[in-house]
Amino acid sequence: MFVSTEDTAPSFKGFTLILPAVSVGNVGQLAADLLISTLSMPRVGHIHSACLVPLVGSDPYSEEPAQLSTSAEVYSRGDLKLAVLQIRTPVLQTKTKSFRKLVVSWIKSSAFSRTVLLSSSHAHQRDDQQLRGSALRHLLTPPLEEQVAQDLAQLGWTELERVSAFPGISDSEQRLYVPGGGITKGLYMDCCTERVPMAVVLVFCSEGDNIPDAFALCNHLNNWLHLVEKPAQGPTPWRTPPSWRLLFGSGVPPLLY
């Protein structure tokens, strides 16, 4: 259930929604952090759900946190017609279907024009065809495919390849396979069934320092949505949030030596 920070809930009609899947390397969440921080998006509410592991912490986007953050919060920019749902904790294993149903219901009731799910998948479980070219892939539900498939083809985007259901035995039956992707496949299939315009943008990666993967995912997304102006020369000026300074802990205490 969406809970607004204001007495009157904001209207998301016609907005683009971006949200991460809690997946390998947490790349989607890191990419959402970059978008929220770079675009200075204010918080407009949170998602209250028993499907997520509870969390309360400091505001990750402020040098001097004045408010607490929770498991799933919504940030928005009306001038950009953009909303980002940042999910900070895993979905409980017994509640994945319920959470997907909640998300799809909120997307439909809010009348978002399209949804983009940022995700990742285990690099070591790619098959031969997925080893070719870029590590970035996408999926489109039928309603969005009708609108943007040609644009993405012009950008040179690669659709996520289906893999053999019985590798080494038969290649006749193909299936969608997103190992390490969390709710990615399930939410994509739900949106296909419900005719929700949604794109999945994912990167093959491994656990470790996944900051470069997050930058690559944001740059890839920005080539399509043009959220941040690209300079004529040099990289896109993504701004990292203050919380990233402690992404790998606070370092070794000098008193140990």
Side-chain angles (χ1 to χ4, degrees):
M1 179 178 67
F2 174 73
V3 181
S4 174
T5 56
E6 304 293 336
D7 294 335
T8 303
S11 172
F12 297 120
K13 186 175 182 179
F15 278 46
T16 295
L17 171 67
I18 299 175
L19 74 157
V22 182
S23 51
V24 56
N26 304 111
V27 179
Q29 294 159 293
L30 293 172
D33 268 352
L34 285 175
L35 292 171
I36 294 166
S37 181
T38 303
L39 297 173
S40 301
M41 301 180 73
R43 186 175 67 173
V44 296
H46 68 275
I47 299 294
H48 178 71
S49 172
C51 301
L52 294 168
V53 175
L55 168 74
V56 176
S58 298
D59 183 356
Y61 308 118
S62 174
E63 295 281 1
E64 299 178 0
Q67 59 186 10
L68 295 176
S69 293
T70 57
S71 305
E73 296 183 315
V74 181
Y75 300 80
S76 180
R77 280 272 302 267
D79 57 325
L80 298 176
K81 284 194 160 301
L82 177 70
V84 177
L85 166 58
Q86 176 62 297
I87 302 173
R88 299 191 173 94
T89 61
V91 182
L92 296 170
Q93 289 188 353
T94 57
K95 301 283 189 177
T96 54
K97 289 185 178 179
S98 299
F99 184 70
R100 287 175 2 223
K101 183 178 180 180
L102 181 151
V103 171
V104 172
S105 175
W106 180 58
I107 291 172
K108 294 177 71 174
S109 64
S110 300
F112 287 106
S113 63
R114 60 188 172 188
T115 300
V116 181
L117 179 66
L118 303 178
S119 185
S120 51
S121 184
H122 282 301
H124 68 273
Q125 291 191 252
R126 287 177 290 178
D127 72 354
D128 290 346
Q129 61 180 338
Q130 293 173 339
L131 290 169
R132 304 189 190 105
S134 168
L136 294 151
R137 295 292 189 275
H138 76 277
L139 290 166
L140 299 173
T141 59
L144 190 59
E145 187 171 16
E146 297 171 1
Q147 302 174 28
V148 304
Q150 188 173 356
D151 295 336
L152 298 189
Q154 291 176 350
L155 289 171
W157 283 32
T158 304
E159 185 178 2
L160 180 64
E161 301 89 345
R162 268 60 173 178
V163 301
S164 297
F166 305 101
I169 300 174
S170 172
D171 294 330
S172 60
E173 186 176 341
Q174 303 286 308
R175 63 167 175 158
L176 181 63
Y177 186 48
V178 191
I183 65 169
T184 300
K185 178 182 175 180
L187 187 59
Y188 169 76
M189 299 302 293
D190 290 345
C191 288
C192 287
T193 302
E194 297 291 328
R195 300 287 299 173
V196 173
M198 189 180 84
V200 176
V201 185
L202 65 83
V203 61
F204 293 116
C205 68
S206 301
E207 293 282 4
D209 182 356
N210 296 101
I211 290 176
D213 298 309
F215 278 103
L217 195 61
C218 280
N219 286 327
H220 195 59
L221 181 68
N222 197 50
N223 288 337
W224 172 31
L225 298 183
H226 307 291
L227 301 172
V228 179
E229 186 175 352
K230 296 168 63 177
Q233 294 181 340
T236 304
W238 299 107
R239 185 167 69 242
T240 60
S243 57
W244 280 25
R245 295 172 189 166
L246 300 176
L247 203 58
F248 297 102
S250 55
V252 179
L255 292 176
L256 284 177
Y257 302 98

